[in-house]
Amino acid sequence: QLQASGGGLVQAGDSLKLSCVGSGRAFSRLNLGWFRQTPGKGREFVAVISRGAATYYSDSVKDRFAISRDNGKSTVYLQMNNLKPEDTAVYYCAADGNGVLRTTPRVYEYWGQGTQVTVSS
């Protein structure tokens, strides 16, 4: 089970940090991803971090967002800097038990409930 939080309303150029807390002893063995979704569109890959802390980002957020994890707290974070209006979306965390970093939403087994991020211009 995953629980995301930290969304809000900010202005362009501001920063936000999302958190996603997991339950269960398997957290450290999971790859953890962040996705986002806007109305009428499918979920879009944002970032993923492996159980070994390797990371991968979509081109649209690379150099602005940073994903990290704290296995002791069963938490994955998404630090979002220099936010843009096009970053406005519902952000979801997800967990994948496969060892390979994957960006396709349908392969992720566990999902959080989503947190709204709104960036005004």
Side-chain angles (χ1 to χ4, degrees), residues 32-96:
L32 302 164
W34 285 97
F35 295 80
R36 62 189 182 187
Q37 187 170 21
T38 54
K41 294 188 177 180
R43 289 187 184 180
E44 174 193 14
F45 167 75
V46 175
V48 61
I49 186 166
S50 74
R51 52 194 176 190
T55 59
Y56 182 72
Y57 299 91
S58 70
D59 288 342
S60 62
V61 307
K62 189 170 49 178
D63 299 327
R64 296 189 298 122
F65 290 11
I67 189 171
S68 61
R69 65 190 298 164
D70 184 337
N71 290 332
K73 295 181 179 180
S74 296
T75 302
V76 59
Y77 303 98
L78 186 68
Q79 176 67 48
M80 304 185 293
N81 299 323
N82 190 22
L83 282 160
K84 303 176 180 181
E86 51 264 42
D87 295 318
T88 295
V90 177
Y91 283 71
Y92 297 89
C93 56
D96 177 17

